[in-house]
Amino acid sequence: MKRPGPPAVWLVLVRHAEPAQAGTRCAGQGAFDPGLEPLGRAQAADAVERLGRDFDLVVASPARRARETAAAWGLPVEIDERLAERSFGEWEGRLWPELWPGVPPEVLASPEAYAAFTPPGGEPYESVAIRVKSALDDLIAVPGRRVLVATHAGPLRLAVGAALGLPPSVALTLGAGYARAAMLLHRAGQWSLDGLNC
């Protein structure tokens, strides 16, 4: 008779809810650290109803928007720097309409070029993927846990990519709306995707 393996880890990666000045200013790891306004708080509350409260561990990026999203669950929140948004270097805090005109056209036209592009003084997506993978490895260390992770679009997509063996150029095209989640199961050394942009 085959013995059952260890119980699965259920990992729910949720992008933070919509923050103040969303889509207006570049917010990575710099001094510009917007929190949630009424719309974002409502989105976070909706995510709690949609995803439930049954979690053994809640972990968040250090960014205010991620911490405030995680706080909607009313559970203790641990902070993990590895789940932070990428550093945008010299772009931090600047207006997006000022930045996009200086980006080479091929970066916006090709997923491969986009994944390989790094703003001046910023963090390469390759480095983000490495630290996110390290966080994933630690989060699945305890079998049977249900873990909620509040992070950002890039790290969320790269985490799913790391789990499923997708290159960053593919992972970075995955859906990741505000306060929407990717649901991953890890059992006996294998990952499976249970839901995306949920």
Side-chain angles (χ1 to χ4, degrees):
M1 182 176 180
K2 186 176 180 180
R3 298 179 61 184
V9 176
W10 192 51
L11 193 62
V12 177
L13 299 140
V14 62
R15 183 185 180 188
H16 61 77
E18 185 169 337
Q21 299 189 57
T24 302
R25 303 180 78 89
C26 176
Q29 298 179 19
F32 179 62
D33 187 18
L36 304 184
E37 292 190 328
L39 174 59
R41 288 192 288 273
Q43 291 173 342
D46 287 345
V48 174
E49 294 302 312
R50 192 171 61 249
L51 301 172
R53 295 180 180 271
D54 187 17
F55 293 98
D56 303 300
L57 176 66
V58 180
V59 186
S61 154
R64 182 180 168 196
R65 55 199 183 276
R67 291 185 282 109
E68 291 182 358
T69 299
W73 271 263
L75 299 169
V77 178
E78 296 184 9
I79 303 301
D80 192 326
E81 299 279 348
R82 295 171 296 180
L83 300 170
E85 179 60 282
R86 81 187 296 196
S87 167
F88 287 93
E90 295 176 15
W91 286 15
E92 293 281 352
R94 295 179 59 190
L95 296 172
W96 283 113
E98 296 175 354
L99 298 169
W100 288 125
V103 176
E106 60 270 19
V107 169
L108 303 180
S110 161
E112 291 78 15
Y114 179 83
F117 176 74
T118 303
E123 180 182 20
Y125 272 127
E126 182 180 82
S127 298
V128 180
I130 290 170
R131 61 175 165 82
V132 167
K133 173 64 165 57
S134 172
L136 284 187
D137 290 343
D138 287 346
L139 291 172
I140 61 173
V142 180
R145 280 199 305 195
R146 295 167 62 89
V147 182
L148 177 74
V149 176
T151 184
H152 308 264
L156 185 155
R157 291 167 172 144
L158 291 168
V160 174
L164 303 182
L166 303 175
S169 59
V170 175
L172 290 168
T173 67
L174 299 175
Y178 285 123
R180 291 287 168 172
M183 294 185 283
L184 292 166
L185 288 174
H186 184 269
R187 189 197 309 269
Q190 300 294 319
W191 285 101
S192 61
L193 181 66
D194 197 44
L196 183 65
N197 213 22
C198 300

